[in-house]
Structures are given as structure tokens and as C-alpha cells.
Amino acid sequence: MDIQDLKAWLELPRDIVILSHRNPDGDAIGSSLGLAMYLRKKFHKVQVIFPSEYPVVFEYLDHVKDILIYDLKPNESKQAVEKADTIFCLDFNGLDRIDKLGEGVQFSKAKKILIDHHLDPEPFSDYEFLDTTASSTSELVYLWIKEMGDIDMADVRIGEALFTGLITDTGSFKYNTRPMTFRIAADLKELGVDDFYLQDQIFNALKSKHLRLLGHCLANRMEIIEEHEFAIIHLTKKDYIDFDIQRGDTEGIVNHLLYVKNIQIAAFVTEQPTIIKLSLRSKGDISVQEVATKYFNGGGHKNAAGGGVYASLHDVLEKLKRVLPAYTKK
Ligand code: 5GP
Ligand code: MN
């Protein structure tokens, strides 16, 4: 399919499902809701589905309550995917990122449209709108609506959703940006998006337990390997209980390690009920996507990646310390 075929396909009202990845972040949610609002304006029936719950901080977004969560309503979610004649996949590029919903997509006869900015996409879609140099999938949704010839249909609500993705995937415009990112931000601001309000909603929303957890990570769980310019924070299962850590509570902790001068790679390692999960961040040309793919069953972007392995916390920490020096070496 090319864009003309897709335009023709979307001439008729369709039964559309929009899917994004498990543990949806601001970009997954913003791009999905922004796209949904646009497609509804085109008279399509649209259902957004995520494999798992979204962080409460994003509840300020319009239509967030209409999102279907597979973990909470598996049958309804499965049926919606089966029934759909059009499936948009946003902010992921491998079906393993959407858990059980992946099978539904794989076997569906629907037209599958992939809009994403991650490296190494799997071939499962009929139409792709991909750009790994884009800051976010939200940026790509904006550009795709433009490609559809409908940018005049973007309104302030769509703008708020997409701007949310721009903010969260660029760390408030600190990384992953390109000139187009700022152009789109300007366009959205012109539509009336209140970016100060969004920043306040997203970042000034912590509970005291989050700051206590951060304090614990920095005071008791941080290792700086100065010689090899990387740093690690780990959390144990016991920490999860002691600090009442829920999904999303550890968001952003990994970034603190890069505040240390000369640190090139940051790793945040957590002991989950069955697996060890890793979040990796890097600076410049160092690819933690390669680290995550090669050693930790993961993937992502060059400077932000993650993965998960069935192993002990101790073994994962040792493996990281063995593997990372080769990446920080000039
Ligand atoms: P985070 O560290 O914030 O959880 O994830 C950073 C990036 O790494 C995400 O945008 C995502 O692309 C990627 N990522 C995180 N966990 C996984 C994983 O288990 N598998 C894959 N393929 N990518 C992941
Ligand atoms: Mn993204």
C-alpha cells in the first residue's frame, strides 16, 4: 500500500483499532489519542487499546478514559481487534511488544498501518510511516496527517495529545530533537496548546513516595564506575515492597545517572516478579539499542533502550559490568 491506496481505503468509514506498546509512555498515549481524535473527525469508528495500564499522570488528556486495557478487559480487547478492518500500530515495531494482542494482529485480515520511530522494524504491516530520526511517534502522526492532506483538521485537543508525546520522548526538548520537532511544536502552540500547563501536569505530579524512592536509589543503590564511564542503579524485589513501587513509579530515575560528569551510559536494573528488567540510556554515538538487543532480549533507540531477561539480579549486574566497558571505550 502507498499513501494513495491508504487515502482511498480511508475514504469509507472504517472500524479502526489503534494499538500501542505495553507500559505505554507519554508518546504511546499522546500519539494514539491524537490519531484517534483525527480519525474520528473523519467519521471512522476508533478504539484505542493498550496491553497494560497507562500512568495516571496522563489523565488530563481528552478521551483517555475510553482507552481499552487488555490486562483489565482481555475478551473485549481481543474482540475489538478481531472485528477491526483497519489496525494502526503506534510507537512499537515488533509484535512481542503488545503481548497477547500480537497474535490477534498477526492473524487479522485487517489493513495494518505502522507509524513508528524505533530501529529495526519487523515486517508485519501493509503500510509503513517510519522515521528513526523523528523525536517521537507523535511527531510522525502529525506529519502523517499532513501527508493525508488534512493538517487543517488538527485542533487544540489533538495538539495537546501530540505535544505530550513531543515533551515526554524528548525529555522536554533536551534530546532526540531535530528542526522539524521544533517546527511542529510551534505549529501546535499556534493551535492554542498550553505547553506550560502540559509540563506542569506531566512533571509536577510526584507523590512524596517517589522522591523517597529516588533518594533511596541515589543514596543506596547507585554504582558509578568512573573508570569505564558508566553507572548503574538497581532495585531489588524487597525495595519494591518497602517503597510500595507500582508501575510507572520508577520512570525517569535512570536519567539522573547521566547528570554525573563524563558518564556515558546509564543503566537502571529492576528485579521484577519473574524477570530482570533493564532501562538503558547513552550519550552521543554509543548505541544502547545494540547492548539491549545483543545481550538483554530488548531493543529501542540508539540512546534509550531496554530489555528483560530471565536471570538473577546478580548475574545481570555482573553481565552489564562485563559488557559495557567495550561500549564506552573511545
Ligand atoms: P524505558 O527504559 O523507558 O522503559 O524504555 C526506553 C526505550 O527502550 C523504549 O522506547 C522502548 O523502545 C525500548 N524498550 C524498553 N524495554 C524494551 C523491551 O523489553 N524490548 C524492546 N524491544 N524494547 C524495549
Ligand atoms: Mn516513542
Side-chain angles (χ1 to χ4, degrees):
M1 265 183 136
D2 61 22
I3 186 83
Q4 294 309 330
D5 301 328
L6 187 54
K7 268 187 200 168
W9 176 257
L10 293 171
E11 288 278 303
L12 292 176
R14 300 290 174 187
D15 191 335
I16 298 177
V17 155
I18 299 174
L19 302 172
S20 195
H21 57 81
R22 76 173 162 250
N23 299 332
D25 53 12
D27 187 33
I29 301 162
S31 60
S32 298
L33 291 177
L35 177 65
M37 286 185 255
Y38 157 69
L39 290 170
R40 285 190 195 112
K41 279 188 154 184
K42 302 271 284 180
F43 303 105
H44 301 292
K45 180 174 168 287
V46 186
Q47 178 65 60
V48 177
I49 309 178
F50 297 149
S52 64
E53 287 176 270
Y54 54 82
V56 289
V57 7
F58 297 111
E59 278 180 356
Y60 64 85
L61 287 171
D62 249 29
H63 299 292
V64 75
K65 300 278 187 201
D66 303 335
I67 295 171
L68 203 50
I69 308 293
Y70 177 87
D71 277 354
L72 304 180
K73 293 185 175 169
N75 291 331
E76 208 175 311
S77 304
K78 242 185 285 178
Q79 279 160 15
V81 173
E82 276 166 20
K83 205 160 59 54
D85 57 28
T86 310
I87 299 176
F88 281 83
C89 295
L90 262 52
D91 202 39
F92 69 96
N93 62 17
L95 293 178
D96 63 325
R97 299 272 290 143
I98 53 171
D99 300 344
K100 294 242 170 57
L101 290 165
E103 285 168 32
V105 174
Q106 195 178 350
F107 297 116
S108 165
K109 297 263 189 296
K111 297 277 182 243
K112 298 165 200 171
I113 295 125
L114 178 61
I115 304 181
D116 184 47
H117 67 135
H118 291 86
L119 295 162
D120 300 335
E122 280 176 12
F124 65 86
S125 59
D126 301 294
Y127 170 87
E128 295 177 340
F129 195 77
L130 307 179
D131 188 349
T132 57
T133 69
S135 70
S136 55
T137 301
S138 296
E139 181 172 322
L140 290 176
V141 165
Y142 184 87
L143 293 173
W144 181 75
I145 294 173
K146 210 170 198 173
E147 192 80 7
M148 290 288 288
D150 284 335
I151 207 56
D152 291 346
M153 293 177 77
D155 59 29
V156 65
R157 298 288 160 246
I158 294 174
E160 273 176 358
L162 299 181
F163 208 111
T164 293
L166 293 187
I167 290 174
T168 56
D169 261 29
T170 64
S172 300
F173 302 96
K174 283 200 293 287
Y175 42 78
N176 283 342
T177 60
R178 55 178 181 173
M180 182 57 78
T181 314
F182 292 97
R183 288 199 182 97
I184 294 173
D187 287 354
L188 298 178
K189 192 156 172 152
E190 242 158 22
L191 280 178
V193 170
D194 183 347
D195 55 320
F196 306 121
Y197 166 79
L198 297 179
Q199 298 271 6
D200 187 51
Q201 289 291 314
I202 298 167
F203 297 111
N204 301 333
L206 295 183
K207 296 187 179 139
S208 59
K209 77 165 184 179
H210 294 121
L211 288 185
R212 277 196 197 96
L213 171 63
L214 178 62
H216 172 64
C217 287
L218 301 181
N220 309 314
R221 291 281 181 262
M222 181 175 79
E223 282 179 89
I224 308 271
I225 319 291
E226 243 166 85
E227 186 195 350
H228 294 297
E229 302 183 338
F230 66 86
I232 306 176
I233 288 173
H234 74 268
L235 286 174
T236 66
K237 275 186 196 171
K238 187 168 179 303
D239 291 327
Y240 271 73
I241 298 165
D242 292 349
F243 287 86
D244 181 29
I245 304 173
Q246 310 294 329
R247 193 196 297 281
D249 286 349
T250 56
E251 198 65 47
I253 292 177
V254 63
N255 297 317
H256 288 78
L257 296 171
L258 291 181
Y259 294 158
V260 181
K261 197 163 172 76
N262 294 329
I263 291 301
Q264 307 290 328
I265 301 182
F268 181 67
V269 186
T270 58
E271 190 180 23
Q272 309 282 326
T274 54
I275 65 166
I276 305 297
K277 176 104 183 72
L278 294 96
S279 274
L280 301 168
R281 300 290 184 271
S282 62
K283 285 189 187 168
D285 260 343
I286 299 172
S287 173
V288 283
Q289 188 260 352
E290 187 185 315
V291 177
T293 311
K294 217 162 150 182
Y295 300 101
F296 300 106
N297 296 323
H301 313 277
K302 187 167 78 174
N303 296 137
V309 283
Y310 293 93
S312 72
L313 178 61
H314 175 265
D315 287 354
V316 172
L317 293 173
E318 289 305 305
K319 189 167 173 180
L320 265 176
K321 289 173 195 171
R322 251 191 343 263
V323 163
L324 290 185
Y327 287 85
T328 52
K329 213 164 48 199
K330 307 279 145 42

